[in-house]
Amino acid sequence: MTKKAKTGLPRLWEISGATPWPLAAAGMVSACATLLLFVPYYCVYSILVEIVSKAGDLSRADFGYIFKYAWLALGAAGAGLAAMYAGSVLCHRAAFKVLYDLKIKLAGHLARLPLGFFADYPSGAIKKTIEYNVEQLEGFIAHQLPDLIGTLVSLAVIFTYMFVLDWRLGLVSLVPILVAFVLQWRVFTNPDTGKLMQQKQASLAAMNAAAVEYVRGMPVIKAFGQTVKSFGILHARITGYRNLALAITQTYKTHNILYHTLLSGILVFLAPAGIFLLQGTADHTAFAFTLLFFLILAPGVSAPVTKLAFLGAGVKMIAVGVNNIDELLQAKPISQPAVSKPCQGCDVAFRNVSFSYNQGAAAATMALRHIHFTARQGTVTALVGPSGSGKSTVAHLLPRFWDVTAGAVEIGGVNIKDMMTEDLMNTVSFVFQDVFLFDDTVFENIRIGKPGAGAAQVRAAAQAAQCHEFITRLPQGYDTKIGGGGLALSGGERQRIAIARAILRDAPVIVLDEATSFADPENEVKIQKALTELLKGKTVIIIAHRLHTVQHADQICVLDKGRIVEQGQHRELLARQGVYSRLWRAYLDADQWALA
């Protein structure tokens, strides 16, 4: 028999790895706090009964009795508040432990996923899951869960005492609440409501993703005088979320009105029932005191019952959030070998590699087909070809951003699937076309190439990358914060920071993806000098559109429509009058182009 998969809170404890005992202890303390805080109400009621019963002659009142209950009320209130504080502390500690464990687990898991996952999964949805769904757990565990325990204990105490005093009045007070709960339960258990809530979460994630894209594209939006309405995707998703929220409101509307009417109208049922029962009671005074207690206490029941309903909705939202977290955790990471095989040298070989972004796709839709070449250690191999020919895809297969569909990629005779990710990353270093710098200091942005490197090593790498000079001109030098994406630097300066990272890492295999694409002539000269330092003795694979940068490469692989159609050196390829020759002529024509 297949074991049923856990959902909701049980699944939360399972995926976070946290033990539930601290939270169970917090729940017990919160329950004790609730019980203690009820004692003052009982004491005040007992004092009122003593005073009212002797109202004709207060000298007959037992003031020793009154003061005893007054001190008991004060002590219980103090103890209850202390227990409430202790329960809150324990719940917050448990909540932050769960949040910490979950975020670490999610971050570690995301780091092991192939880059293809992030191409298909919107960054806004990932952000929502990590920030909104995980952070939502803190509010639930630290605040709502103690409230839930306290509310359940409160209701249990109130109705137990009511039924002890007079089961008939207790039943009259309970019936409207039960009817109200049945109405709410019908809404919560309605499959259509569950679907709407899931659609709302999906719509919120889609809206977040569109908002992130909108913000990222703000320079273009401003340049063309666009508004949020003209940015169709974001406007459509905001409208879609609004429509879903209205649909959910319509679903809840009737039941919610009846629910609150019943809860707030308990006295409407209780007063007539009390008058009717009073007529058949021998001791009118005693029953009057009991009825007074019910008339005072019964309306107060609506507050914890209403809170219980909101907490029920919170539990449902948490279950949806846990499902979103689970969806991320169930994404399949890159497989790892039991033991990493050591490379024998640093030759890079693509052995008849075919690749599709959609696994199982037809051969006609393959992004790469039968790619076969070897990049020898100490040589430069250039990948060129028209846009969309597969150059970057070839390079991205080397560090296993995706796994090949067929064939094998080898470094030093070892299939990269037989290398641990850490060993592979220590072997291959990248300088991307789009450089990403973190919102941190220049020093830390360089040191990310080799965590733990000393200041002297970082400076030496910066000098080799031709960026020490401009760094020293920054307000705080190496300690200058450069903003997310490196916005305080020019494109060429960011590129040289990226090269400094690669020099610091000192990996034996280097992949350059359009390393001079954003450089002006002055920066390009400096970048070329930096690259000369970086590439000494390395196995180098260069992706380039600016063909003059690869004229002297040891071999040039020309890609077209996912295949290598030509292979050789610059002069050989020009002499063949094929694809490379055509690209070269087009490049020269573009280089000589000028405004008339």
Side-chain angles (χ1 to χ4, degrees):
M1 185 176 177
T2 306
K3 187 178 178 181
K4 188 178 179 182
K6 293 180 181 179
T7 57
L9 289 176
R11 177 58 182 155
L12 171 62
W13 297 122
E14 187 176 62
I15 60 181
S16 69
T19 173
W21 295 116
L23 197 60
M28 292 177 65
V29 173
S30 297
C32 290
T34 303
L35 291 172
L36 286 167
L37 290 174
F38 264 105
V39 173
Y41 290 98
Y42 173 76
C43 293
V44 170
Y45 172 70
S46 300
I47 292 169
L48 285 174
V49 169
E50 176 65 18
I51 292 173
V52 173
S53 63
K54 308 291 173 48
D57 184 5
L58 286 178
S59 63
R60 293 188 302 113
D62 187 347
F63 284 95
Y65 175 90
I66 291 172
F67 279 111
K68 181 181 75 173
Y69 274 96
W71 283 112
L72 179 61
L74 184 63
L81 291 173
M84 184 184 292
Y85 174 78
S88 177
V89 170
L90 289 171
C91 283
H92 276 83
R93 287 176 64 90
F96 290 132
K97 179 69 166 63
V98 169
L99 259 66
Y100 175 82
D101 290 342
L102 264 180
K103 286 195 172 184
I104 292 296
K105 189 168 186 175
L106 280 169
H109 182 73
L110 289 172
R112 294 191 297 272
L113 295 178
L115 189 63
F117 171 82
F118 300 97
D120 298 332
Y121 205 98
S123 58
I126 296 174
K127 178 178 180 290
K128 175 189 169 293
T129 299
I130 295 176
E131 291 189 4
Y132 178 74
N133 291 136
V134 175
E135 288 297 332
Q136 196 179 33
L137 297 176
E138 186 271 333
F140 179 79
I141 297 171
H143 301 282
Q144 292 182 328
L145 205 54
D147 279 354
L148 178 61
I149 294 166
T151 301
L152 291 172
V153 172
S154 298
L155 292 173
V157 170
I158 289 171
F159 281 106
T160 299
Y161 193 57
M162 280 182 169
F163 275 86
V164 168
L165 280 177
D166 192 301
W167 67 269
R168 298 164 301 177
L169 293 176
L171 192 61
V172 170
S173 303
L174 183 61
V175 167
I177 294 172
L178 291 177
V179 174
F181 259 98
V182 168
L183 290 171
Q184 286 293 82
W185 182 256
R186 287 183 62 187
V187 175
F188 281 129
T189 56
N190 188 335
D192 291 336
T193 304
K195 289 177 183 176
L196 280 173
M197 295 302 290
Q198 289 179 343
Q199 289 172 12
K200 181 185 174 185
Q201 289 291 312
S203 179
L204 181 61
M207 186 172 66
N208 283 338
V212 169
E213 185 180 354
Y214 179 74
V215 172
R216 285 178 176 170
M218 190 58 70
V220 177
I221 292 165
K222 288 285 187 183
F224 288 92
Q226 301 296 301
T227 64
V228 68
K229 285 193 174 182
S230 60
F231 192 70
I233 296 175
L234 179 58
H235 187 256
R237 288 179 179 173
I238 291 172
T239 305
Y241 182 77
R242 179 204 62 191
N243 293 340
L244 271 172
L246 289 173
I248 292 169
T249 302
Q250 290 296 323
T251 302
Y252 278 96
K253 183 177 65 176
T254 304
H255 291 83
N256 209 39
I257 291 171
L258 290 171
Y259 172 81
H260 285 287
T261 301
L262 286 167
L263 284 186
S264 58
I266 293 176
L267 286 179
V268 175
F269 301 94
L270 193 59
I275 293 169
F276 175 78
L277 292 171
L278 181 63
Q279 295 173 356
T281 304
D283 189 348
H284 289 82
T285 303
F287 186 79
F289 280 124
T290 301
L291 181 59
L292 176 64
F293 176 81
F294 273 86
L295 291 174
I296 293 171
L297 190 61
V301 172
S302 62
V305 171
T306 302
K307 183 183 284 187
L308 195 62
F310 278 111
L311 292 171
V315 171
K316 202 172 185 69
M317 291 296 292
I318 291 300
V320 173
V322 170
N323 288 341
N324 291 339
I325 294 168
D326 238 348
E327 186 180 340
L328 277 184
L329 290 175
Q330 287 170 4
K332 190 177 179 181
I334 292 175
S335 61
Q336 297 288 307
V339 179
S340 189
K341 290 185 178 179
C343 299
Q344 305 299 318
C346 290
D347 289 354
V348 173
F350 279 68
R351 307 287 188 198
N352 203 30
V353 169
S354 294
F355 172 72
S356 172
Y357 288 101
N358 299 311
Q359 295 300 318
T365 63
M366 289 283 183
L368 298 176
R369 283 171 284 177
H370 309 295
I371 300 297
H372 195 91
F373 71 90
T374 300
R376 300 291 179 190
Q377 185 173 354
T379 67
V380 175
T381 297
L383 304 178
V384 303
S387 294
S389 60
K391 304 183 296 297
S392 293
T393 303
V394 170
H396 289 160
L397 293 178
L398 185 55
R400 292 189 73 188
F401 286 176
W402 291 274
D403 274 337
V404 300
T405 304
V409 180
E410 298 176 355
I411 299 178
V414 176
N415 191 321
I416 58 173
K417 291 184 179 180
D418 295 327
M419 299 174 67
M420 297 290 286
T421 299
E422 185 179 357
D423 293 335
L424 181 59
M425 292 300 102
N426 286 332
T427 306
V428 182
S429 188
F430 265 83
V431 179
F432 290 108
Q433 177 179 358
D434 296 320
V435 178
F436 183 83
L437 300 182
F438 295 94
D439 187 10
D440 206 337
T441 63
V442 174
F443 182 87
E444 292 299 336
N445 267 284
I446 295 175
R447 191 164 66 166
I448 198 172
K450 187 177 182 180
Q457 292 173 290
V458 171
R459 288 176 182 273
Q463 287 170 338
Q466 305 292 308
C467 52
H468 176 75
E469 184 180 346
F470 79 76
I471 292 173
T472 55
R473 291 198 302 266
L474 295 173
Q476 283 83 43
Y478 283 84
D479 295 324
T480 303
K481 288 195 72 171
I482 54 178
L487 296 179
L489 303 177
S490 70
E493 289 169 341
R494 291 199 299 272
Q495 201 75 287
R496 280 183 273 160
I497 292 287
I499 294 171
R501 280 179 185 167
I503 290 173
L504 186 62
R505 176 169 285 271
D506 196 28
V509 178
I510 304 292
V511 178
L512 303 175
D513 187 353
E514 292 289 345
T516 61
S517 57
F518 298 120
D520 54 50
E522 182 182 355
N523 264 308
E524 184 172 357
V525 170
K526 292 180 179 179
I527 289 172
Q528 292 289 359
K529 288 181 180 178
L531 291 176
T532 300
E533 184 67 28
L534 171 64
L535 305 182
K536 287 179 180 176
K538 313 287 188 184
T539 305
V540 182
I541 296 176
I542 294 178
I543 303 163
H545 286 296
R546 302 169 74 166
L547 297 185
H548 76 274
T549 61
V550 296
Q551 291 180 70
H552 306 295
D554 296 285
Q555 73 170 329
I556 298 172
C557 297
V558 184
L559 283 88
D560 190 21
K561 297 178 182 177
R563 292 180 180 274
I564 294 180
V565 293
E566 292 178 341
Q567 196 168 345
Q569 292 185 325
H570 176 72
R571 291 184 180 278
E572 297 173 39
L573 295 174
L574 285 180
R576 291 178 192 173
Q577 296 296 308
V579 175
Y580 183 81
S581 177
R582 187 176 71 248
L583 288 172
W584 180 256
R585 287 195 301 271
Y587 170 74
L588 291 178
D589 289 342
D591 194 48
Q592 294 167 4
W593 180 87
L595 286 170

